[in-house]
């Protein structure tokens, strides 16, 4: 298949920009003069490849600024002056880093003398742009990508001619280019992610359900002391004795787990409030809990054990993501009582007191420790001392705060005393994170779209109906509409007129009129209950399960073991994001929900679909009309 000439590809690019992105078309510069190109070659000591010369003779790159046509996330085409200035700058950086030219791997250096920058990179960062190599050999003229925080790579394009041909075809066909889809928005070329996810991702929780919980590990019997080996009597006389000298072994670090205490509760009730999975509740010792929590059966879910001390129930976290530092967890634990949490995370030792969901700021304590296992060595370098406590300040603070619990709250507890006891324990299905405060309001923009203008010009009911339609599109493209709890909630979003908890109370005097609300009107105080979003309700459990799937998939991919792959993780992230957008639609004011929903749409055509859902069709005002 023949590749169009550079001039032909540029003509096609210009034609598309003229029709769909005239602002970007106007940013293309006139042709570069031949003498300017030859002067650049002399200054850099290189001969430009014919494709680059032909491209510059069509357009001397693009003017910088708003609306400049970008080659996907590689940035706008570079001008001759940009090529000279930034190539020289990157050469200097490569020299400072000690890179040398030679016959070794061409990508084994920060920047080669034979590379020419041809785009300015994302956000105008030249160190993140495309380059051409003019190194002699079969790869001459190949297109590479210089990455700011990673090693450079070669792209699939063997020449600038191939790149421009693919660029022109992507514009004309609306096809992905470097993973993104070109669209014309408000007269400018923009790039949208056009993602899809696997329809049936591998489920870490389903795999866990097919695994059995491991039984407690067998106790390790101490080794019997061995008899001293007999020594051979060599008679009197001098002896040479070798003595092995080793530094003393450091003392083991103290046992300082995350703890939470709740006054007047039973261990069973405390486990329930923490989100215990009923089928996993059973007595476990600490070694048993730790052994089970790192097995495939646990699927990276947190494990806690619960007991009592005096008039308090307590829970100790054995494994998993930290729970007792989360305000939503402490609020649930302290409902109708008071809760005290003692947590230790590296340099930080923290005590938190919450009374019936309200933090007691005066009773809170926070100690930050400097790191003390780092020492200076010659040549002004730092080294870490192994086997010592890196944060002795927070270690001591934890012990002190634990002691103070007795005097201030009557709580007596020593970590480790219950390690061998079979305490009630369970895996947790973690509670959902808090949503943003409705008083914060929505962002002005989402993905480059003027959300504030949309809210200003759109009557409330029309905006709500359009957001509900967008939500259904999002559910379909992520596959969450297959879950019955979500399907039921989606059906109800099309019928309910008043959603969200007291949203009107958080709006200013002008906001209510702007959103089409009468004075004092709110969006429904019982929405969470009506939609099954109370803690433990079906929709709440479904969203929490999706969050647990995402967390487990992320840990599995990070560990590089098991059948869960990156495509599965992407699907779970998309599903959780869509489910959280549904939750936002139910519980937040509609403009804030719109920000969530539009922010996680997968289709690159979401702007056109939004115009359709708003009933604006081809008459949408300038705030985001798409031409493609």
């Amino acid at each position: 298949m023949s590749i169009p000439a550079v001039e032909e590809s540029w003509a096609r690019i210009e034609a598309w920009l003229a029709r769909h992105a005239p602002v970007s078309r106007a940013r293309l510069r006139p042709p570069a003069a031949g003498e300017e190109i030859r002067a650049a070659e002399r200054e850099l000591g290189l001969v430009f490849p014919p494709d680059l010369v032909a491209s510059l003779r069509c357009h001397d790159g693009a003017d910088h600024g708003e609306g400049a046509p970008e080659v996907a996330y590689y940035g706008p085409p570079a001008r001759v002056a940009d090529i000279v200035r930034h190539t020289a700058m990157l050469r200097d950086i490569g020299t400072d880093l000690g890179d040398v030219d030679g016959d070794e791997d061409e990508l084994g250096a920060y920047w080669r003398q034979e590379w020419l920058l041809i785009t300015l990179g994302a956000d105008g960062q030249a160190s993140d742009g495309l380059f051409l190599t003019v190194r002699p050999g079969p790869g001459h003229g190949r297109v590479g990508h210089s990455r700011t925080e990673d090693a450079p790579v070669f792209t699939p394009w063997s020449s600038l001619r191939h790149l421009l041909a693919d660029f022109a075809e992507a514009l004309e066909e609306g096809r992905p280019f470097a993973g993104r889809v070109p669209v014309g928005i408000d007269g400018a070329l923009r790039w949208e992610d056009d993602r899809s996810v696997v329809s049936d991702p591998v489920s870490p929780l389903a795999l866990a359900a097919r695994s059995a919980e491991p039984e407690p590990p067998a106790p390790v019997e101490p080794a019997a002391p061995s008899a001293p080996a007999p020594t051979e009597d060599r008679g009197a006389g001098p002896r040479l004795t070798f003595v092995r000298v080793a530094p003393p072994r450091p003392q083991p670090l103290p046992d300082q787990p995350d703890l939470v205490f709740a006054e007047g509760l039973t261990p069973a009730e405390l486990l329930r409030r923490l989100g215990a999975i009923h089928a996993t509740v059973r007595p476990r010792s600490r070694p048993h809990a730790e052994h089970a929590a790192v097995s495939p059966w646990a699927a990276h879910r947190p494990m806690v054990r619960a007991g009592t001390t005096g008039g308090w129930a307590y829970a100790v976290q054995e494994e998993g993501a930290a729970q007792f530092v989360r305000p939503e967890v402490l609020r649930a634990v302290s409902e109708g009582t008071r809760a005290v949490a003692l947590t230790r995370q590296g340099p930080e030792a923290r005590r938190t007191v919450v009374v019936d969901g309200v933090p007691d700021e005066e009773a809170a304590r926070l100690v930050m420790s400097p790191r003390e296992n780092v020492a200076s060595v010659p040549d002004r370098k730092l080294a870490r001392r192994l086997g010592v406590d890196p944060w002795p300040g927070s270690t001591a603070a934890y012990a002190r705060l634990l002691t103070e619990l007795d005097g201030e709250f009557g709580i007596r507890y020593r970590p480790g005393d219950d390690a061998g006891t079979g305490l009630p324990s369970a895996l947790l299905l973690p509670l959902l994170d808090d949503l943003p405060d409705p008083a914060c309001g929505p962002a002005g923009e989402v993905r480059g779209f003027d959300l504030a203008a949309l809210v200003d010009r759109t009557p409330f009911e029309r905006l709500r109906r359009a957001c509900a339609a967008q939500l259904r599109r999002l559910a379909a493209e992520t596959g969450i509409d297959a879950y019955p709890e979500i399907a039921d909630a989606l059906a109800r979003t099309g019928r309910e007129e008043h959603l969200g908890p007291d949203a009107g109370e958080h709006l200013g005097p002008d906001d209510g009129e702007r959103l089409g609300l009468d004075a004092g009107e709110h969006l429904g105080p019982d929405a969470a209950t009506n939609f099954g979003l109370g803690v433990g309700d079906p929709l709440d459990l479904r969203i929490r399960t999706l969050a647990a799937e995402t967390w487990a998939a992320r840990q599995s991919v990070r560990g590089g073991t098991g059948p869960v792959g990156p495509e599965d993780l992407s699907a779970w992230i998309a599903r959780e994001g869509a489910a959280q957008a549904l939750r936002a639609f139910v519980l937040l004011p509609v403009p804030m929900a719109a920000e969530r929903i539009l922010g996680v749409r997968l289709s690159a055509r979401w702007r056109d679909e939004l115009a359709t859902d708003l009933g604006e069709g081809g008459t949408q005002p300038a705030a985001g009309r798409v031409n493609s």
Side-chain angles (χ1 to χ4, degrees):
M1 180 178 178
S2 61
I3 304 300
V6 167
E7 294 83 357
E8 179 183 343
S9 294
W10 265 120
R12 294 162 60 193
I13 294 168
E14 294 165 11
W16 189 92
L17 292 176
R19 290 195 306 270
H20 302 291
V23 173
S24 297
R25 172 64 181 86
R27 289 282 186 179
L28 288 175
R29 290 173 55 81
E35 179 53 37
E36 185 180 8
I37 296 173
R38 289 189 291 273
E41 291 177 321
R42 290 193 297 269
E43 185 167 350
L44 294 175
L46 296 172
V47 176
F48 287 9
D51 288 349
L52 178 57
V53 173
S55 179
L56 292 171
R57 295 304 299 269
C58 292
H59 293 285
D60 182 20
D63 287 326
H64 308 167
E66 184 67 28
E70 296 189 345
V71 185
Y73 49 79
Y74 302 121
R79 303 171 299 186
V80 172
D82 296 326
I83 295 174
V84 173
R85 180 171 65 257
H86 292 300
T87 296
M89 176 193 71
L90 293 168
R91 283 178 175 181
D92 290 342
I93 295 174
T95 301
D96 292 342
L97 294 176
D99 291 342
V100 294
D101 286 320
D103 295 331
E104 66 273 15
D105 176 19
E106 185 172 3
L107 297 177
Y110 176 82
W111 189 267
R112 294 288 187 186
Q113 295 293 312
E114 302 97 339
W115 291 353
L116 293 168
L117 185 79
I118 59 171
T119 73
L120 296 184
D123 298 323
Q125 298 184 62
S127 56
D128 196 33
L130 294 176
F131 64 84
L132 291 182
T133 176
V134 295
R135 198 175 197 181
H140 182 81
R142 190 173 180 183
V143 181
H145 180 203
S146 172
R147 299 183 291 179
T148 303
E149 298 180 357
D150 208 341
V153 296
F154 282 125
T155 69
W157 299 295
S158 59
S159 69
L160 180 56
R161 180 179 177 181
H162 286 77
L163 183 151
L164 291 172
D166 283 354
F167 188 20
E169 187 169 343
L171 295 179
E172 293 173 341
E173 303 294 332
R175 299 196 321 193
F177 177 87
R180 309 188 78 188
V181 174
V183 292
I185 301 172
D186 298 341
L189 170 63
R190 299 283 184 87
W191 295 90
E192 285 283 352
D193 293 324
D194 190 27
R195 299 183 296 127
S196 62
V197 294
V198 294
S199 58
D200 190 20
V202 176
S203 166
L205 299 192
L207 295 175
R210 294 196 288 269
S211 303
E213 177 185 356
E215 291 305 311
V220 179
E221 297 291 338
S226 57
T231 58
E232 183 180 353
D233 186 4
R234 296 181 178 272
R239 297 181 182 180
L240 179 62
T241 303
F242 292 92
V243 179
R244 185 187 299 272
V245 178
R249 290 186 176 182
Q251 294 296 317
L253 297 180
D255 184 14
Q256 296 186 336
D258 284 0
L259 304 167
V260 67
F261 304 86
E263 190 173 23
L265 299 187
T266 64
E269 173 61 15
L270 179 55
L271 287 176
R272 186 193 70 79
R273 294 187 181 196
L274 289 171
I277 301 171
H278 180 71
T280 68
V281 176
R282 63 177 287 189
R284 294 180 182 87
S285 66
R286 173 164 295 173
H288 183 190
E290 291 175 340
H291 184 56
V294 296
S295 70
W297 167 81
H300 301 281
R301 289 167 288 186
M303 169 72 78
V304 297
R305 299 165 65 238
T308 57
T309 175
W312 297 73
Y314 71 87
V316 53
Q317 181 157 354
E318 305 296 356
E319 292 289 342
Q323 296 297 303
F324 306 155
V325 294
R326 300 177 57 206
E328 45 277 300
V329 171
L330 297 180
R331 189 168 56 249
V333 167
S334 68
E335 182 179 354
T337 183
R338 59 177 175 165
V340 181
L342 180 59
T343 58
R344 165 80 191 284
Q345 295 180 328
E348 175 186 291
R350 180 187 295 269
R351 185 183 80 184
T352 309
V353 180
V354 184
V355 180
D356 197 13
V358 180
D360 184 345
E361 301 296 345
E362 293 186 358
R365 302 286 185 272
L366 174 64
V367 178
M368 298 296 294
S369 169
R371 186 163 199 149
E372 297 186 19
N373 71 328
V374 177
S376 297
V377 296
D379 298 329
R380 301 169 66 181
K381 295 182 179 179
L382 298 177
R384 293 182 182 177
R385 295 191 294 268
L386 301 179
V388 300
D389 185 356
W391 316 105
S394 57
T395 300
Y398 181 101
R400 183 174 66 253
L401 293 172
L402 185 63
T403 300
E404 292 174 357
L405 293 183
D406 185 10
E408 295 186 40
F409 301 96
I411 297 173
R412 294 185 179 183
Y413 178 78
R414 289 180 56 189
D417 285 356
D418 58 7
T421 306
L423 295 179
S425 60
L427 293 175
L428 303 184
L429 189 64
L431 304 180
L432 294 173
D433 291 339
D434 286 338
L435 289 168
D437 186 344
C440 296
E445 286 191 357
V446 54
R447 297 169 69 174
F449 177 79
D450 193 343
L451 180 60
L454 173 67
V455 172
D456 282 339
R457 73 171 187 266
T458 309
F460 171 73
E461 275 304 317
R462 182 192 295 177
L463 180 62
R464 189 195 68 78
R465 286 194 300 270
C467 287
Q470 284 286 299
L471 186 59
R472 290 190 290 274
R473 294 180 189 273
L474 174 62
E477 63 190 7
T478 57
I480 66 169
D481 53 354
Y483 298 113
E485 308 89 350
I486 290 179
D488 177 67
L490 289 171
R492 299 183 66 185
T493 60
R495 300 193 302 266
E496 297 287 341
E497 294 185 357
H498 303 295
L499 308 170
D502 301 330
E505 296 180 1
H506 303 288
L507 302 175
D510 298 329
D511 294 330
E513 181 179 354
R514 176 166 54 86
L515 296 177
L517 299 175
D518 295 332
E521 183 180 1
H522 58 76
L523 304 182
D526 300 322
T529 301
N530 293 340
F531 275 79
L533 272 172
V535 175
D537 286 346
L539 185 56
D540 169 74
L541 290 175
R542 174 56 63 190
I543 300 176
R544 287 162 60 190
T545 300
L546 289 172
E549 295 273 23
T550 302
W551 175 260
R554 182 174 283 111
Q555 305 311 306
S556 298
V557 170
R558 183 176 297 166
T561 59
V564 181
E567 68 283 356
D568 303 305
L569 172 59
S570 295
W572 289 118
I573 291 173
R575 288 188 177 193
E576 182 192 358
Q580 292 284 11
L582 169 60
R583 178 174 172 235
F585 184 77
V586 173
L587 299 178
L588 291 177
V590 173
M592 295 183 71
E595 178 187 355
R596 284 291 189 97
I597 296 166
L598 300 179
V600 293
R601 283 294 314 275
L602 301 186
S603 171
R605 308 299 176 193
W606 64 269
R607 297 170 188 260
D608 280 337
E609 293 169 350
L610 176 60
T612 300
D613 296 336
L614 287 165
E616 295 176 337
T619 63
Q620 183 181 357
R625 179 64 188 163
V626 175
N627 299 296
S628 58

